[in-house]
PDB file of all heavy atoms in Angstrom:
ATOM      1  N   ALA A  22     -12.911  -0.976  10.803  1.00 96.00           N
ATOM      2  CA  ALA A  22     -13.580  -0.515  12.024  1.00 96.00           C
ATOM      3  C   ALA A  22     -15.090  -0.474  11.826  1.00 96.00           C
ATOM      4  O   ALA A  22     -15.867  -0.901  12.693  1.00 96.00           O
ATOM      5  CB  ALA A  22     -13.047   0.857  12.416  1.00 96.00           C
ATOM      6  N   GLN A  74      -5.221   2.462  -4.840  1.00 89.00           N
ATOM      7  CA  GLN A  74      -4.083   1.567  -5.035  1.00 89.00           C
ATOM      8  C   GLN A  74      -3.995   1.076  -6.478  1.00 89.00           C
ATOM      9  O   GLN A  74      -2.941   1.129  -7.113  1.00 89.00           O
ATOM     10  CB  GLN A  74      -4.198   0.371  -4.082  1.00 89.00           C
ATOM     11  CG  GLN A  74      -3.236  -0.771  -4.366  1.00 89.00           C
ATOM     12  CD  GLN A  74      -1.786  -0.457  -4.012  1.00 89.00           C
ATOM     13  OE1 GLN A  74      -1.508   0.535  -3.352  1.00 89.00           O
ATOM     14  NE2 GLN A  74      -0.874  -1.307  -4.446  1.00 89.00           N
ATOM     15  N   LEU A 196     -30.877   3.635  -3.234  1.00 91.00           N
ATOM     16  CA  LEU A 196     -30.084   2.570  -2.614  1.00 91.00           C
ATOM     17  C   LEU A 196     -29.717   1.519  -3.657  1.00 91.00           C
ATOM     18  O   LEU A 196     -28.595   0.992  -3.656  1.00 91.00           O
ATOM     19  CB  LEU A 196     -30.864   1.934  -1.467  1.00 91.00           C
ATOM     20  CG  LEU A 196     -30.165   0.768  -0.763  1.00 91.00           C
ATOM     21  CD1 LEU A 196     -28.887   1.234  -0.092  1.00 91.00           C
ATOM     22  CD2 LEU A 196     -31.101   0.115   0.252  1.00 91.00           C
ATOM     23  N   PRO A 240     -28.850  -1.390 -13.531  1.00 90.00           N
ATOM     24  CA  PRO A 240     -29.215  -0.678 -12.302  1.00 90.00           C
ATOM     25  C   PRO A 240     -30.111   0.537 -12.541  1.00 90.00           C
ATOM     26  O   PRO A 240     -31.057   0.777 -11.783  1.00 90.00           O
ATOM     27  CB  PRO A 240     -27.857  -0.266 -11.727  1.00 90.00           C
ATOM     28  CG  PRO A 240     -26.899  -1.255 -12.279  1.00 90.00           C
ATOM     29  CD  PRO A 240     -27.391  -1.578 -13.649  1.00 90.00           C
ATOM     30  N   PHE A 265     -31.857  -8.475 -16.637  1.00 81.00           N
ATOM     31  CA  PHE A 265     -30.572  -7.962 -17.125  1.00 81.00           C
ATOM     32  C   PHE A 265     -29.507  -8.123 -16.039  1.00 81.00           C
ATOM     33  O   PHE A 265     -28.414  -8.640 -16.291  1.00 81.00           O
ATOM     34  CB  PHE A 265     -30.693  -6.478 -17.495  1.00 81.00           C
ATOM     35  CG  PHE A 265     -31.261  -6.213 -18.859  1.00 81.00           C
ATOM     36  CD1 PHE A 265     -32.428  -6.826 -19.266  1.00 81.00           C
ATOM     37  CD2 PHE A 265     -30.635  -5.348 -19.725  1.00 81.00           C
ATOM     38  CE1 PHE A 265     -32.964  -6.591 -20.520  1.00 81.00           C
ATOM     39  CE2 PHE A 265     -31.152  -5.097 -20.990  1.00 81.00           C
ATOM     40  CZ  PHE A 265     -32.327  -5.717 -21.382  1.00 81.00           C
ATOM     41  N   PRO A 347      -2.013 -10.728   2.566  1.00 91.00           N
ATOM     42  CA  PRO A 347      -2.160 -12.032   3.236  1.00 91.00           C
ATOM     43  C   PRO A 347      -1.943 -11.891   4.739  1.00 91.00           C
ATOM     44  O   PRO A 347      -0.964 -11.267   5.167  1.00 91.00           O
ATOM     45  CB  PRO A 347      -1.052 -12.881   2.598  1.00 91.00           C
ATOM     46  CG  PRO A 347      -0.701 -12.175   1.332  1.00 91.00           C
ATOM     47  CD  PRO A 347      -0.933 -10.730   1.584  1.00 91.00           C
TER      48      PRO A 347
END
Side-chain angles (χ1 to χ4, degrees):
Q74 168 72 12
L196 178 63
F265 278 50

